[in-house]
Amino acid sequence: MGARKKRAPRRGSLGFSPRKRASRLVPRVKSWPEVDIGKPVPLAFLGYRAGMTHVFMVDDRPGRPTSGKEIFVPVTIVETPPMFVAAVRLYGYDPNRGRYSLGEAWAQPPPELELQRRISTLGSFDTDKMLKSLEERLDKAVDVRLIAASQPKLAGGLSKKKPDLLEIKVGGVSDVTKLFDYAKDVLGNLIAVNDVFEEGQLVDVIAVTKGKGFQGVIKRWGVKELPRWHKHRKGSRRIGARSHGRSTFWETPQAGQTGFHRRTEYNKRILMIDDDGYKVTPAGGFLRYGVVRSTFVMLSGSIPGTPKRPIVMRWAIRPPEWYLKLGVRKPEITYISLASKQGV
């Protein structure tokens, strides 16, 4: 009989500790990529997760055994109604305190947006006066952001009316003046997902994962359960010494909140952007969502969150080497499954 194993890789990453509930349902984007494409462009967009299906497409990734062949790909559908640009905000930079706001200019939102449901103190604004004030501080600005409001009433699977707000960085060029001119042009107007992304592009998905409540160490950390012999009659899920009390190591797996965490998944490829939601809506609609009625984005693979959850898509901050060499290429989709998902 061999010697008993005394070491094992740790279960569960400590990089996500503390595993507590997300503070907000619409995640704030904390990092932005440096983009240089020669024209200003918003670097993120907000949509709502509808559900999953699958497609067949031609694999155009180089160096793969399936390159040039038809492959099966699971996909996630995110409904992305146009967003209303409600405000422009400028940021300055100070070495001692980092970025700080130089001011913002708000546009009067249309009544059908019902933005007062989200901002109860919303009043009338003198947009021209505030824009002029921002132009006077433009020499101190290092960053231009848009505050955009979603339109959930246009999404087919949502019943809520309250819009979600997202602060979006404007990138594409390094000249702050050009960025500010672009922000002034789109202030008070609608931006579509086509204005931000294109088919074949890689994006990062930021969302809040599915909540699972209070769970034990087996499900929360993936530790191994002890064999249920007579010597373990006091508990097969016990962790061991210093697992309780004041002397507990912080690295010790403990029971607690599982799921409903803010997470980022990198390099999800956009396979399709279209205005006809019936191209991807399965028979009977998506489970717990319904029919996609406005513009949608088809992403390869799975993403965090439940149906109807707000999803933030951002320009890829660390794309792979093959993508940097070949650039954006429109994928060739040969088949989209519309089979019913109600019995799954």
Side-chain angles (χ1 to χ4, degrees):
M1 185 175 180
R4 182 180 178 183
K5 185 179 180 181
K6 298 182 180 180
R7 294 173 180 262
R10 101 151 265 115
R11 273 78 173 183
S13 172
L14 293 176
F16 297 105
S17 297
R19 295 193 179 186
K20 60 182 181 180
R21 288 174 58 89
S23 60
R24 49 191 296 176
L25 195 59
V26 179
R28 178 176 62 89
V29 182
K30 301 179 181 179
S31 301
W32 297 96
E34 295 295 332
V35 178
D36 186 9
I37 59 175
K39 63 178 182 178
V41 61
L43 297 182
F45 204 86
L46 187 141
Y48 297 95
R49 189 184 196 273
M52 293 192 67
T53 183
H54 70 270
V55 303
F56 284 92
M57 60 173 291
V58 177
D59 191 359
D60 56 356
R61 298 170 298 177
R64 304 294 179 111
T66 56
S67 293
K69 300 179 181 180
E70 196 175 51
I71 59 173
F72 171 97
V73 179
V75 296
T76 304
I77 306 302
V78 180
E79 192 165 6
T80 54
M83 301 186 71
F84 176 79
V85 180
V88 175
R89 179 180 292 167
L90 294 184
Y91 282 93
Y93 179 77
D94 182 78
N96 296 323
R97 55 173 174 162
R99 294 182 186 270
Y100 62 95
S101 176
L102 291 172
E104 55 194 37
W106 286 76
Q108 189 68 35
E112 60 271 14
L113 184 63
E114 300 189 49
L115 190 57
Q116 69 277 3
R117 290 179 177 269
R118 174 62 62 183
I119 308 176
S120 58
T121 57
L122 193 65
S124 59
F125 299 96
D126 190 347
T127 307
D128 295 334
K129 180 180 178 181
M130 289 187 289
L131 285 175
K132 185 177 180 180
S133 177
L134 292 180
E135 289 180 353
E136 296 174 353
R137 309 172 191 174
L138 199 58
D139 56 334
K140 300 180 181 179
V142 297
D143 208 352
V144 180
R145 306 280 178 94
L146 303 177
I147 301 178
S150 66
Q151 300 186 87
K153 292 193 294 184
L154 301 182
L158 300 178
S159 60
K160 73 173 185 177
K161 300 178 181 179
K162 183 186 295 186
D164 294 309
L165 293 179
L166 178 66
E167 184 178 280
I168 305 173
K169 179 178 178 178
V170 182
V173 294
S174 58
D175 190 353
V176 179
T177 304
K178 293 182 179 179
L179 299 178
F180 183 70
D181 292 339
Y182 170 82
K184 286 195 304 180
D185 292 338
V186 298
L187 178 62
N189 298 318
L190 297 177
I191 56 173
V193 68
N194 296 324
D195 303 327
V196 183
F197 304 120
E198 58 182 313
E199 293 180 343
Q201 185 174 348
L202 295 184
V203 296
D204 299 333
V205 174
I206 309 172
V208 176
T209 62
K210 181 188 297 185
K212 302 180 185 298
F214 191 98
Q215 301 294 336
V217 294
I218 304 299
K219 183 171 183 177
R220 192 180 191 219
W221 291 97
V223 301
K224 186 176 180 181
E225 184 177 3
L226 298 175
R228 296 182 180 180
W229 299 337
H230 65 282
K231 288 187 177 182
H232 295 140
R233 62 186 180 274
K234 293 184 179 180
S236 62
R237 293 169 176 254
R238 295 174 62 90
I239 304 171
R242 294 194 178 185
S243 61
H244 301 83
R246 297 179 61 183
S247 60
T248 304
F249 295 135
W250 73 273
E251 303 95 338
T252 303
Q254 298 281 0
Q257 172 66 33
T258 306
F260 205 80
H261 306 310
R262 179 192 182 277
R263 294 292 181 261
T264 302
E265 292 198 3
Y266 298 93
N267 299 327
K268 299 292 183 178
R269 191 180 184 189
I270 296 178
L271 301 183
M272 179 185 291
I273 299 176
D274 203 285
D275 297 328
D276 186 6
Y278 288 97
K279 289 184 178 180
V280 294
T281 301
F286 285 103
L287 192 64
R288 295 185 294 276
Y289 188 86
V291 179
V292 176
R293 301 188 185 277
S294 62
T295 308
F296 69 88
V297 172
M298 178 190 291
L299 298 173
S300 64
S302 62
I303 63 175
T306 61
K308 305 182 181 181
R309 182 146 297 176
I311 303 295
V312 176
M313 294 172 289
R314 176 193 64 189
W315 278 57
I317 201 169
R318 53 183 192 192
E321 186 176 354
W322 68 266
Y323 179 78
L324 296 176
K325 289 182 178 179
L326 300 178
V328 178
R329 294 192 296 176
K330 184 177 179 179
E332 181 183 349
I333 299 176
T334 58
Y335 171 78
I336 301 175
S337 173
L338 301 181
S340 174
K341 303 296 187 293
Q342 301 298 324
V344 177

